[in-house]
Amino acid sequence: MLLTDVQKKTIEQMTEGEDVTIGGVAVGESIRYEISRFADEYKVCLFDRLIRLEEESFQTASQVIHFIEYDGVIK
């Protein structure tokens, strides 16, 4: 999934305790990423509709963006 510049900035500017959802049925996509920012890490959960497929932890926003754009895509 390629992210827009706004989505990338949103991830980069997340503060501790903030949650962001990207994709999902509300925007006509079956794949959804839920991103949570904690003090020392980001957690990313990958969903296909209501089924959680994967959960990963990352240290930086750039790692989260890379995961969403390249690694987390189901083919």
Side-chain angles (χ1 to χ4, degrees), residues 11 14 18-20 22 33-36 42-43 64 68:
I11 294 169
M14 288 178 70
E18 191 172 0
D19 298 310
V20 171
I22 295 181
Y33 294 90
E34 292 184 1
I35 307 156
S36 300
Y42 294 82
K43 284 202 175 177
V64 172
I68 293 171

Side-chain angles (χ1 to χ4, degrees), residues 27-41:
V27 293
E29 300 172 1
S30 60
I31 299 298
R32 175 177 93 247
Y33 294 90
E34 292 184 1
I35 307 156
S36 300
R37 172 76 191 269
F38 297 95
D40 58 348
E41 71 178 350

